[in-house]
């Protein structure tokens, strides 16, 4: 178990969503507004559990990152739950997530336009692209970034 994850017994997304909130310090929602469906439920659970909640939508300004960056900088460690709509509901989610996370964590060198184009070509060819793979790739990049002197 490379990432030390444990699956829930439930297959229902509200249960998984709530557990993601409970087991994290904060949630970052990447989504167009208004929030709908499971993404709106994520925001509702974060508020109900009293967890920090940040939302970035297309067209955000650099100043919109200040509260999140300040929150992350004030902690020795942080479990950040990153959430948003399914690719079937927002086809540009992957590109937006890579762009937003690169700005938050200073990872622009990892998210070149060539990487985004390659990912899009896989989708066009009908290859299944796994959202978890993207999340874990980002997690590895963040570890690498902060391990650098």
């Amino acid at each position: 178990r490379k990432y030390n994850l444990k699956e829930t017994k439930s297959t229902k997304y509200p249960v998984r969503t709530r557990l993601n909130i409970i087991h994290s310090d904060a949630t970052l929602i990447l989504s167009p507004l208004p929030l709908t469906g499971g993404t709106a439920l994520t925001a509702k659970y974060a508020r109900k559990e009293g967890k920090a909640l940040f939302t970035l939508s297309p067209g955000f300004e650099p100043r919109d990152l200040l509260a999140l960056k300040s929150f992350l900088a004030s902690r020795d460690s942080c479990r950040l739950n990153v959430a948003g709509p399914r690719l079937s509901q927002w086809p540009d989610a992957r590109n937006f997530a890579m762009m937003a996370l690169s700005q938050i964590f200073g990872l622009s060198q990892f998210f070149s336009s060539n990487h985004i184009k390659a990912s899009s070509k896989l989708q066009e060819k009908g290859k299944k692209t796994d959202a978890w793979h993207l999340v874990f790739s980002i997690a590895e990049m963040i570890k690498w970034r902060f391990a650098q002197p």
Side-chain angles (χ1 to χ4, degrees), residues 47-81:
R47 286 189 292 273
K48 184 177 179 181
E49 295 294 331
K51 300 290 182 129
L53 176 63
F54 305 93
T55 303
L56 290 179
S57 300
F60 73 88
E61 299 288 329
R63 70 177 177 270
D64 298 332
L65 301 174
L66 295 177
L68 174 60
K69 285 184 171 186
S70 176
F71 176 84
L72 294 172
S74 70
R75 307 175 76 81
D76 289 332
S77 66
C78 179
R79 289 184 183 168
L80 182 63
N81 176 38

Side-chain angles (χ1 to χ4, degrees), residues 87-103:
L87 284 174
S88 61
Q89 296 170 336
W90 186 27
D92 199 40
R94 177 183 298 270
N95 294 341
F96 182 77
M98 288 193 287
M99 183 273 304
L101 293 170
S102 70
Q103 288 188 35

Side-chain angles (χ1 to χ4, degrees), residues 33-34 44 70 83 104 129 149:
L33 296 175
K44 177 182 172 181
S70 176
I104 294 164
T129 53

Side-chain angles (χ1 to χ4, degrees), residues 105-107 109-110 140-149:
F105 295 106
L107 299 168
Q109 69 270 27
F110 293 105
E140 290 300 313
M141 291 177 217
I142 291 168
K143 281 191 222 171
W144 178 87
R145 167 70 169 88
F146 288 104
Q148 300 304 303

